């Protein structure tokens, strides 16, 4: 995530330049990032989160009630921690902290990861000192912001510097065929998992596959159990071409290095990593993503020449198998797609954001 990438760069600069660095992460109670942040040795606190919607929902009244509670909780935490600067990576969980910082006269930087700006960052931008954008096309959404800077979207170090041979050997995969990485994001994608399960023999006839399937929104691991059972039912030679696991951690750089193609959702993090690494992709945008954010991300990659899109409504075992076959049968096309994806990358994004944060912290001093 951008937060992890910026934290890594802040720590590097602190160690080299000799200035003290103390970090506090404020997120939601059930945030998927909690485990990552605490593993980095950073204090993690949660605040109540309320989501504003542009449609009628029974969830709206209780969510509206949580907004002032979130601001009050963030106000207390900002007062206790006394930060020199606040870095926000977006989402409704970030709004209370940015607002609390504004009320306490703490400068803040709001980072927008996506090409299509969501409501939360539009609100937070009104209280921010600087808005950092990943794509020039996002600038028009922040016409009233005090300052807007194009930085790009930072990439965490964990995805860089992998070795292709280890991508195969970590999972004992057949090296005689291309490797495809399937990812549905942190929680996994049930619809993508279903399509892969139904097409597994056809897919594995063409490639080896590392499949990050998640544990599902309910944490039940139902898809993992189903996919594992499907693997066990395969002939031995095809079993040697398929690895399924709920999460990918330290293996991610090697998997990316080995992957000839990625099949996945088109969240900001995934698209950013594909661009940074120059990886061609089959993208299946989440149809219910806020304001069509994932479709916009996928279209940006497709229009640049780095990806093809299969819409959720069109996703099937056959569609996935056919599209995979078309791409793997044309290595020159895959190479061209990877080069096109790489042109969207902003390799110095983390450094640019760190420079802005240090500038804001110095102004406060």
């Amino acid at each position: 995530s951008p937060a992890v990438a910026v934290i890594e760069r802040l720590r590097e600069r602190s160690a080299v330049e000799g200035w003290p660095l103390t970090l506090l992460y404020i997120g939601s109670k059930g945030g998927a990032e909690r485990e990552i942040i605490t593993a980095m040795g950073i204090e993690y606190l949660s605040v109540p989160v309320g989501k504003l919607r542009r449609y009628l929902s029974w969830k709206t009244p209780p969510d509206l009630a949580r907004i002032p509670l979130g601001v009050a909780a963030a106000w207390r935490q900002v007062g206790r921690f006394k930060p020199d600067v606040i870095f926000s990576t977006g989402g409704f969980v970030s709004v209370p902290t940015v607002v609390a910082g504004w009320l306490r006269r703490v400068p803040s930087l709001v980072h927008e990861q996506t090409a299509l700006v969501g409501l939360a960052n539009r609100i937070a931008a009104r209280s921010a000192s600087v808005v950092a954008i990943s794509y020039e096309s996002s600038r028009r959404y922040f016409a009233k912001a005090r300052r807007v800077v194009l930085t790009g979207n930072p990439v965490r170090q964990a995805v860089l510097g992998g070795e292709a041979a280890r991508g195969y050997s970590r999972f004992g995969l057949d090296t005689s065929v291309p490797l495809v990485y399937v990812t549905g994001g942190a929680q996994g994608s049930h619809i993508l998992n279903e399509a892969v399960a139904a097409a597994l023999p056809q897919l594995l006839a063409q490639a080896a596959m590392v499949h990050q399937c998640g544990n599902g929104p309910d944490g039940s691991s139902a898809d993992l159990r189903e996919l594992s059972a499907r693997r066990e039912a395969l002939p031995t030679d095809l079993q040697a071409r398929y690895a399924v696991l709920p999460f990918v951690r330290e293996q991610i750089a090697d998997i990316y290095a080995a992957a000839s193609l990625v099949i996945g959702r088109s969240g900001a993090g995934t698209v950013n990593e594909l661009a940074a690494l120059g990886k061609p992709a089959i993208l299946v945008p989440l149809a219910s993503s806020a304001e069509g954010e994932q479709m916009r991300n996928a279209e940006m990659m497709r229009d640049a020449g780095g990806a093809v899109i299969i819409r959720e409504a069109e996703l099937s075992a056959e569609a996935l198998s056919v599209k995979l076959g078309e791409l793997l049968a044309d290595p020159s096309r895959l190479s061209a797609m990877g080069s096109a994806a790489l042109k969207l990358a902003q390799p110095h994004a983390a450094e640019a954001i760190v420079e802005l944060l240090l500038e804001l912290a110095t102004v406060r001093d």
Side-chain angles (χ1 to χ4, degrees):
S1 74
V4 171
V6 170
I7 289 168
E8 290 170 340
R9 187 59 186 139
L10 279 168
R11 284 178 162 174
E12 289 171 0
R13 291 280 300 269
S14 171
V16 171
E17 297 170 19
W19 39 265
L21 176 66
T22 307
L23 300 166
L24 169 68
Y25 195 103
I26 297 179
S28 61
K29 186 175 182 180
E33 70 277 13
R34 178 190 288 269
E35 182 180 348
I36 297 170
I37 295 301
T38 53
M40 296 178 76
I42 298 169
E43 182 182 7
Y44 185 103
L45 296 174
S46 61
V47 297
V49 178
K51 181 177 181 180
L52 296 176
R53 297 175 177 82
R54 299 187 178 188
Y55 55 88
L56 294 176
S57 170
W58 64 269
K59 295 180 181 179
T60 297
D63 271 356
L64 287 174
R66 278 195 287 270
I67 292 174
L69 295 175
V71 173
W75 163 272
R76 290 192 296 271
Q77 296 301 339
V78 171
R80 176 188 68 85
F81 188 68
K82 295 181 173 57
D84 292 304
V85 65
I86 293 169
F87 175 49
S88 164
T89 56
F92 282 96
V93 68
S94 70
V95 175
T97 305
V98 175
V99 172
W102 176 75
L103 292 172
R104 287 193 177 272
R105 299 179 183 239
V106 178
S108 62
L109 184 153
V110 169
H111 179 249
E112 176 53 57
Q113 303 177 47
T114 67
L116 183 63
V117 178
L119 182 58
N121 265 1
R122 295 187 207 183
I123 295 171
R126 298 171 187 171
S127 302
S129 308
V130 178
V131 175
I133 55 176
S134 300
Y135 306 102
E136 185 60 41
S137 60
S138 302
R139 189 181 296 272
R140 60 193 174 95
Y141 294 99
F142 297 111
K144 296 183 179 180
R146 279 180 263 181
R147 182 182 173 194
V148 181
V149 180
L150 176 65
T151 61
N153 199 359
V155 175
R156 54 194 171 129
Q157 291 295 314
V159 306
L160 305 174
E163 292 186 12
R166 282 204 306 254
Y168 282 91
S169 63
R170 278 179 178 274
F171 305 99
L173 295 174
D174 179 358
T175 59
S176 68
V177 289
L179 188 144
V180 174
Y181 176 42
V182 181
T183 175
Q187 295 180 339
S189 163
H190 179 63
I191 188 171
L192 186 55
N193 291 342
E194 282 189 319
V196 170
L200 205 51
Q202 292 81 10
L203 297 174
L204 297 178
Q206 307 173 76
M209 188 171 289
V210 176
H211 185 177
Q212 181 263 314
C213 67
N215 280 330
D218 59 358
S220 68
S221 303
D223 284 359
L224 176 62
R225 291 194 299 273
E226 172 63 20
L227 288 161
S228 298
R230 297 259 184 157
R231 180 185 183 278
E232 292 303 313
L234 291 168
T236 304
D237 60 329
L238 293 189
Q239 286 186 30
R241 293 185 177 186
Y242 185 60
V244 59
L245 62 167
F247 307 110
V248 171
R249 293 188 173 88
E250 72 281 355
Q251 316 102 314
I252 185 62
D254 294 333
I255 294 170
Y256 268 134
S260 297
L261 180 70
V262 176
I263 300 173
R265 290 298 202 183
S266 51
T270 298
V271 167
N272 189 43
E273 290 175 0
L274 294 173
L277 296 167
K279 290 295 173 179
I282 297 173
L283 298 176
V284 185
L286 178 66
S288 60
S289 62
E291 302 183 60
E293 172 192 305
Q294 287 210 10
M295 179 56 74
R296 182 67 189 91
N297 292 340
E299 288 173 343
M300 179 187 63
M301 283 288 286
R302 180 200 61 195
D303 294 348
V308 296
I309 297 174
I310 301 179
R311 296 174 182 268
E312 275 192 3
E314 299 165 352
L315 181 64
S316 66
E318 182 180 5
L320 189 60
S321 180
V322 167
K323 186 58 66 177
L324 180 72
E326 288 177 2
L327 293 173
L328 292 181
D330 192 348
S332 62
R333 182 181 177 189
L334 284 179
S335 178
M337 288 172 68
S339 297
L342 194 59
K343 290 179 181 178
L344 294 175
Q346 296 274 0
H348 305 297
E351 180 64 24
I353 289 174
V354 166
E355 284 293 338
L356 289 169
L357 291 172
L358 294 177
E359 176 189 319
L360 291 173
T362 302
V363 168
R364 178 169 169 76
D365 289 343

